[in-house]
Amino acid sequence: GQSLEQPSEVTAVEGAIVQINCTYQTSGFYGLSWYQQHDGGAPTFLSYNALDGLEETGRFSSFLSRSDSYGYLLLQELQMKDSASYFCAVLGGGKLIFGQGTELSVKP
Amino acid sequence: GAVVSQHPSRVICKSGTSVKIECRSLDFQATTMFWYRQFPKQSLMLMATSNEGSKATYEQGVEKDKFLINHASLTLSTLTVTSAHPEDSSFYICSAPKTETMNTEAFFGQGTRLTVV
């Protein structure tokens, strides 16, 4: 089977940096993705890591260590609009499986 | 713009009736589409993988006779919730990977909020 673990909630202030960790167990691993979802909306893609290392896309970066079955999403210069749920997702075995989600609250 | 279109966005139906949800890939061909269900404040739970031209693959615990999936063309997959009950009320979302190898982002439809009364 496949499973992913991530913190249920994180709180930070505007302008800060926050890291959301994700550990996974899966067979046939292809890559780790991150998605953002605002209340009532559909998930939107943030980043994808297939190989070890850091991927940077603007204020968001994502890291993967395949040997540790671990990754994280780094959000810099937090803004109020970043308040949302963040999901890590594993692509493996022909399926995209999501973690339980981390609810990020950004305070003024 | 949206590359996966899902309709309807919201539907209310009476208990015992059936509801069809459509998911279309707009500018690419999708041999595979995924159907998820999401309850409030919870994760997206994969229900089934829809494969064009063949039977869908259902996840454990998902009733295939209740959640009928049809993937008749490379751009359209449908999910029909048959004999709906209040406990089927949920947010249903489809997604499609854009490449055959799926080693890229998956595009999501807008989601369908189903309320069974």
Side-chain angles (χ1 to χ4, degrees):
Chain A
Q2 301 178 61
S3 66
L4 299 97
E5 295 280 339
Q6 54 181 125
S8 59
E9 54 186 34
V10 173
T11 301
V13 296
E14 266 188 305
I17 299 173
V18 72
Q19 178 175 312
I20 300 173
N21 298 320
C22 175
T23 56
Y24 60 87
Q25 286 186 315
T26 184
S27 56
F29 177 81
Y30 283 99
L32 185 70
S33 302
W34 289 92
Y35 288 81
Q36 179 192 61
Q37 186 182 32
H38 285 98
D39 267 351
T44 56
F45 173 81
L46 293 177
S47 69
Y48 173 81
N49 295 69
L51 303 175
D52 287 358
L54 191 68
E55 294 280 343
E56 297 180 73
T57 309
R59 294 188 297 115
F60 295 172
S61 303
S62 58
F63 171 83
L64 175 66
S65 169
R66 293 175 67 121
S67 60
D68 295 323
S69 297
Y70 163 77
Y72 65 72
L73 178 69
L74 192 72
L75 299 88
Q76 302 182 72
E77 299 172 23
L78 281 175
Q79 303 174 9
M80 296 296 289
K81 67 178 182 179
D82 297 329
S83 292
S85 292
Y86 292 83
F87 295 90
C88 57
V90 168
L91 189 62
K95 308 175 188 178
L96 187 62
I97 304 297
F98 285 79
Q100 290 302 306
T102 298
E103 188 168 351
L104 172 64
S105 298
V106 181
K107 307 291 185 186
Chain B
V3 295
V4 174
S5 178
Q6 184 175 342
H7 293 279
S9 59
R10 190 176 296 268
V11 59
I12 300 173
C13 72
K14 290 185 177 180
S15 191
T17 62
S18 296
V19 173
K20 180 185 282 189
I21 302 170
E22 292 189 349
C23 182
R24 294 180 185 272
S25 57
L26 299 182
D27 61 354
F28 67 100
Q29 294 181 331
T31 54
T32 300
M33 288 187 179
F34 300 106
W35 286 96
Y36 295 86
R37 180 167 58 183
Q38 186 178 35
F39 292 106
K41 300 295 184 183
Q42 294 189 25
S43 184
L44 290 87
M45 299 303 297
L46 181 64
M47 299 175 67
T49 303
S50 168
N51 303 296
E52 188 271 335
S54 64
K55 290 183 179 180
T57 304
Y58 289 82
E59 294 300 301
Q60 193 171 12
V62 178
E63 299 175 61
K64 59 183 179 182
D65 293 332
K66 180 170 183 64
F67 299 100
L68 301 179
I69 290 172
N70 184 277
H71 197 148
S73 77
L74 288 170
T75 59
L76 175 65
S77 176
T78 60
L79 167 68
T80 301
V81 183
T82 63
S83 187
H85 289 96
E87 57 265 31
D88 298 324
S89 298
S90 188
F91 191 51
Y92 292 87
I93 316 174
C94 66
S95 78
K98 203 170 182 181
T99 65
E100 286 294 324
T101 55
M102 295 193 288
N103 60 339
T104 184
E105 65 183 284
F107 296 96
F108 283 83
Q110 300 92 323
T112 298
R113 177 82 53 195
L114 171 63
T115 303
V116 185
V117 298

